[in-house]
Amino acid sequence: MMKRKFSLQCPMPETDFDLVTLGHGSGGRLTNQLLDKGIFSIFKADELQKRDDGAVITLNGPVAFTTDSFVISPIFFPGSNIGELAVNGTVNDLAMCGAVPRYMSLSLIIEEGLKIEDLWEILAAIKISCEQSGVEIVTGDTKVVEKGKGDQIFINTTGIGEILPGARLDTSRIKEGDTIILSGQMATHGISIMTVREGLSFESDILSDTRPLHEMTIDLIRQFGHDIKLLRDPTRGGVATVLNEIAVKQKSGIELIDDTFPLDPQVNAACEILGLDPLYVANEGIFIAVVSLNAADRIVDRLRKFSAGKNAAVIGSVSQDHPGKVIVRSGYGGKRVVGMLAGDQLPRIC
Amino acid sequence: MMKRKFSLQCPMPETDFDLVTLGHGSGGRLTNQLLDKGIFSIFKADELQKRDDGAVITLNGPVAFTTDSFVISPIFFPGSNIGELAVNGTVNDLAMCGAVPRYMSLSLIIEEGLKIEDLWEILAAIKISCEQSGVEIVTGDTKVVEKGKGDQIFINTTGIGEILPGARLDTSRIKEGDTIILSGQMATHGISIMTVREGLSFESDILSDTRPLHEMTIDLIRQFGHDIKLLRDPTRGGVATVLNEIAVKQKSGIELIDDTFPLDPQVNAACEILGLDPLYVANEGIFIAVVSLNAADRIVDRLRKFSAGKNAAVIGSVSQDHPGKVIVRSGYGGKRVVGMLAGDQLPRIC
């Protein structure tokens, strides 16, 4: 696991301090030192550099507005860190609303004693991820809590994006016969974190699938417009929980076909070892699309043109039977009900 | 200190659970139970009730966008709690941008074991404060961390407000001769928290001054337009730190007159006991306005018509002398330089 991958591209400036202290959260001179070195030297948006109490941005028409606080443990994990996750997570929530991501706020709650080089690696990940997704950090906040009153760092990102003119996303448009597509392999993020926590090792590391999804969702909306009825990224609670939410809200049944789930063999093996059903494991780099039946095959073909969509597949459909429930049919004709995640399978997965 | 003041106006629904558990953060069934009882039963905006990944809102023209994470300790303090503080804090940052507060996101990081009745009291405070300020919670997030990895609750609020057409707030418009007005008594919030932490008692409780300031700032902008050059709420770091930031950014001097500071006698006494300079103590319910000299008296008169502005006063002016520095002149002709807050005087004050 290469911990310093982002700061290799974005080297750390010299600082007089190695650790974040309580004084860095006081709002006074030390806070300004930390912000000068850590925030204003890396995030360059004019509105942020003004250092006002907020940013002034100009928006026209409908926008998506979404927030997430990231508390993942560990903060460095195979393939990435909490900083990239925090940007991609909010970018993806905007994408799922049918929006083009534009602006983001960044709020840090740092535990006293965090190493500055760890903070920098996280900030570098945030910077590089923002650039990849075309979003700008325009306002922010930094707080410090005493040792033992936090856990290294928690990050809130809140995003604003412009809704695409052709977006017609609305759960109430879902009807019997609609097709459910998964954009890629499931359970990868959750299993990546669990293998670290449990000390499991495989032939190769299972890397988190955190990635921005907006390029795919923007393309789908532009190409298929009203045939795209709902987009959801199945993070906490996994695919099963999102589908249950849709089934309950829409009073429809959902039928899945067991042998069509895109799933990496190593991830599948890890799920078996850990006794986890991959349908409940958290994801960060895939989405569920509920689409019109007549466009489904073309949508899957289109997704497969993206490297992040190469494993896209139809996984099921909306049915008039068993309203409010999600059913999985196996290749052998059996079926089982898949409820919502009941307990606390994977705390602090995002 | 009356802890249950908000839930008296907004009674708690029955729940099957008394404490927040890790499972409530899993994203599955328990999360939905907590959200049903705790969020969706109290915050009623249509966009929130849709339970999508984000809210879709329509905005036109320039908007203010601001974020703050609140980590105050203790979460219940004289006169209020972290919930009201989190709403007012973000409302006020929008107000300081010259905006009318409109929309807010709400993100909770809860430590396992938080009492549901405490959570409810905080949510009730958020609801009532939002109503007072005319803002709607339209999107949110809830995370739970293990006991010992947080501190009861941290709250992020991120706000969007519409910039008033007449607002001309811009630090670069500040010039020599401009007047500095304080809208009310200073140091009240910080001293309120400190007296609790230090176990000091006075004839009457010193209550936090947390309150929304947007009514006053909107009125000032409407009445005095371009004569209002800058608005700032001096929270962490206090009045001295904000004025230093302005002096440094604008390369101007700032001169304050010692015997004009609005200050409650009990707060002043507490500052003396605690050895604190009130200029550095955090505030939540006042703002600094930098205004044209010719409008200053009328602005003070106008502010004094508001109950929250009844102690408004001119506290100083912008000078061409000692650029980048803040000087206080005493009634006896002495003067001293007031720098930026240097250390960690009051950690976790907001």
Side-chain angles (χ1 to χ4, degrees), chain B residues 39-339:
Chain B
I39 301 290
F40 296 114
S41 78
I42 189 167
F43 302 114
K44 295 296 191 185
D46 290 345
E47 275 303 316
L48 184 74
Q49 294 284 337
K50 283 185 187 167
R51 302 184 177 212
D52 287 335
D53 285 333
V56 176
I57 52 181
T58 297
L59 298 165
N60 286 302
V63 298
F65 178 44
T66 186
T67 191
D68 252 322
S69 287
F70 294 83
V71 299
I72 191 166
S73 173
I75 58 173
F76 294 96
F77 49 82
S80 193
N81 69 46
I82 188 173
E84 183 182 17
L85 192 75
V87 174
N88 291 347
T90 287
V91 161
N92 291 345
D93 281 347
L94 294 173
M96 299 308 130
C97 294
V100 180
R102 291 284 186 226
Y103 300 103
M104 201 174 277
S105 65
L106 174 66
S107 181
L108 311 177
I109 299 175
I110 301 172
E111 184 191 17
E112 181 186 19
L114 181 70
K115 285 182 198 156
I116 294 291
E117 61 175 359
D118 285 351
L119 176 61
W120 184 264
E121 177 67 18
I122 291 163
L123 293 174
I126 292 171
K127 177 197 171 71
I128 291 166
S129 307
C130 281
E131 285 171 357
Q132 281 173 353
S133 295
V135 292
E136 275 191 315
I137 304 280
V138 289
T139 191
D141 181 45
T142 303
K143 294 281 162 47
V144 182
V145 298
E146 305 91 332
K147 192 101 192 145
K149 300 294 185 183
D151 196 7
Q152 297 188 280
I153 190 167
F154 301 143
I155 300 179
N156 178 279
T157 51
T158 302
I160 296 178
E162 288 163 347
I163 300 285
L164 284 161
R168 292 284 313 282
L169 304 173
D170 185 348
T171 316
S172 69
R173 293 181 59 235
I174 296 175
K175 64 179 180 49
E176 186 196 331
D178 284 345
T179 301
I180 296 165
I181 291 169
L182 197 63
S183 71
Q185 293 176 324
M186 67 183 170
T188 312
H189 175 74
I191 290 302
S192 164
I193 306 302
M194 286 299 279
T195 56
V196 180
R197 290 195 196 153
E198 304 289 325
L200 295 181
S201 63
F202 291 86
E203 224 167 284
S204 58
D205 278 351
I206 297 175
L207 305 183
S208 164
D209 66 346
T210 178
R211 62 165 80 95
L213 298 168
H214 64 293
E215 284 185 17
M216 285 192 287
T217 57
I218 291 170
D219 184 76
L220 287 196
I221 290 168
R222 287 195 174 137
Q223 295 296 321
F224 299 97
H226 74 280
D227 282 325
I228 314 293
K229 300 185 174 185
L230 192 71
L231 298 170
R232 271 296 156 79
D233 59 335
T235 55
R236 278 187 297 178
V239 170
T241 298
V242 168
L243 293 177
N244 268 277
E245 286 168 358
I246 296 169
V248 168
K249 195 166 165 184
Q250 219 25 38
K251 299 183 183 68
S252 301
I254 288 180
E255 299 206 357
L256 304 179
I257 312 138
D258 204 359
D259 46 17
T260 61
F261 298 152
L263 188 57
D264 174 82
Q266 275 203 154
V267 171
N268 197 16
C271 283
E272 286 179 6
I273 293 168
L274 295 164
L276 298 173
D277 182 340
L279 282 170
Y280 291 103
V281 178
N283 309 280
E284 289 292 335
I286 59 170
F287 63 90
I288 292 168
V290 186
V291 307
S292 308
L293 172 62
N294 62 16
D297 290 343
R298 283 177 294 139
I299 290 170
V300 170
D301 287 345
R302 186 91 192 171
L303 282 173
R304 287 184 178 163
K305 294 193 199 314
F306 292 85
S307 67
K310 65 178 187 287
N311 296 301
V314 169
I315 61 165
S317 59
V318 179
S319 134
Q320 69 180 139
D321 301 332
H322 48 81
K325 289 206 160 47
V326 179
I327 305 285
V328 179
R329 292 193 187 278
S330 77
Y332 309 101
K335 66 178 186 179
R336 62 186 168 105
V337 175
V338 174

Side-chain angles (χ1 to χ4, degrees), chain A residues 25-26 29 50 52-53 55 57 59 61 63 65-66 68-69 107 141-143 146 232 236 249 341 343 348, chain B residues 25-26 29 50 52-53 55 57 61 63 65-66 68-69 107 141-143 146 232 236 249 341 343 348:
Chain A
S26 66
R29 183 171 290 135
K50 283 185 186 165
D52 287 335
D53 285 332
I57 53 180
L59 298 165
V63 299
F65 178 43
T66 186
D68 251 322
S69 286
S107 181
D141 181 46
T142 303
K143 295 280 161 51
E146 305 90 334
R232 270 299 154 78
R236 277 186 297 178
K249 196 167 164 182
L341 176 65
R348 298 183 63 193
Chain B
S26 66
R29 182 171 292 138
K50 283 185 187 167
D52 287 335
D53 285 333
I57 52 181
V63 298
F65 178 44
T66 186
D68 252 322
S69 287
S107 181
D141 181 45
T142 303
K143 294 281 162 47
E146 305 91 332
R232 271 296 156 79
R236 278 187 297 178
K249 195 166 165 184
L341 177 65
R348 298 184 61 194

Side-chain angles (χ1 to χ4, degrees), chain A residues 30-310:
Chain A
L30 285 169
T31 303
N32 275 281
Q33 279 178 14
L34 179 67
L35 297 183
D36 284 342
K37 292 287 187 179
I39 300 290
F40 296 113
S41 78
I42 189 167
F43 301 113
K44 294 296 191 185
D46 289 344
E47 275 303 317
L48 184 74
Q49 294 284 337
K50 283 185 186 165
R51 302 185 177 210
D52 287 335
D53 285 332
V56 176
I57 53 180
T58 297
L59 298 165
N60 284 303
V63 299
F65 178 43
T66 186
T67 191
D68 251 322
S69 286
F70 294 84
V71 299
I72 192 166
S73 172
I75 58 173
F76 294 95
F77 48 82
S80 193
N81 69 46
I82 188 172
E84 184 182 18
L85 192 74
V87 174
N88 291 347
T90 287
V91 161
N92 291 346
D93 281 345
L94 293 174
M96 298 308 129
C97 294
V100 180
R102 291 286 185 226
Y103 300 103
M104 202 174 276
S105 64
L106 174 65
S107 181
L108 310 177
I109 299 175
I110 301 172
E111 184 191 17
E112 180 186 19
L114 181 70
K115 285 183 196 156
I116 294 291
E117 59 176 359
D118 286 350
L119 176 62
W120 184 264
E121 177 67 17
I122 291 163
L123 293 174
I126 292 171
K127 177 197 170 72
I128 291 166
S129 306
C130 281
E131 285 171 357
Q132 281 173 353
S133 296
V135 292
E136 276 192 314
I137 304 279
V138 290
T139 191
D141 181 46
T142 303
K143 295 280 161 51
V144 182
V145 297
E146 305 90 334
K147 192 101 191 147
K149 300 294 185 184
D151 196 8
Q152 296 188 281
I153 190 167
F154 301 142
I155 300 178
N156 178 279
T157 52
T158 301
I160 295 177
E162 288 163 347
I163 300 286
L164 284 161
R168 291 284 314 281
L169 304 173
D170 185 348
T171 316
S172 69
R173 292 182 59 237
I174 296 175
K175 63 180 180 50
E176 187 195 330
D178 284 345
T179 301
I180 296 165
I181 291 170
L182 197 63
S183 71
Q185 293 175 324
M186 67 182 170
T188 312
H189 175 74
I191 291 301
S192 164
I193 306 303
M194 286 300 280
T195 56
V196 180
R197 290 196 196 154
E198 303 290 326
L200 295 181
S201 63
F202 292 87
E203 227 169 280
S204 58
D205 279 350
I206 297 174
L207 305 183
S208 165
D209 66 346
T210 178
R211 62 165 80 94
L213 298 168
H214 64 293
E215 285 185 15
M216 285 191 287
T217 57
I218 291 170
D219 184 75
L220 287 196
I221 289 168
R222 287 194 175 138
Q223 294 296 321
F224 298 98
H226 74 279
D227 283 324
I228 313 293
K229 300 186 175 184
L230 192 70
L231 299 169
R232 270 299 154 78
D233 60 337
T235 54
R236 277 186 297 178
V239 170
T241 297
V242 168
L243 293 178
N244 268 278
E245 286 169 357
I246 297 170
V248 168
K249 196 167 164 182
Q250 218 25 38
K251 300 182 183 66
S252 302
I254 289 180
E255 298 207 356
L256 305 179
I257 312 140
D258 204 0
D259 46 15
T260 61
F261 297 153
L263 188 56
D264 174 81
Q266 274 203 153
V267 171
N268 197 16
C271 283
E272 286 180 6
I273 292 168
L274 294 164
L276 298 173
D277 182 340
L279 282 169
Y280 291 102
V281 178
N283 308 279
E284 289 292 335
I286 60 170
F287 63 90
I288 291 168
V290 185
V291 307
S292 308
L293 172 63
N294 62 15
D297 289 343
R298 284 176 294 139
I299 290 170
V300 170
D301 287 346
R302 186 89 192 174
L303 281 174
R304 287 183 178 162
K305 295 194 200 311
F306 292 85
S307 66
K310 65 177 186 289

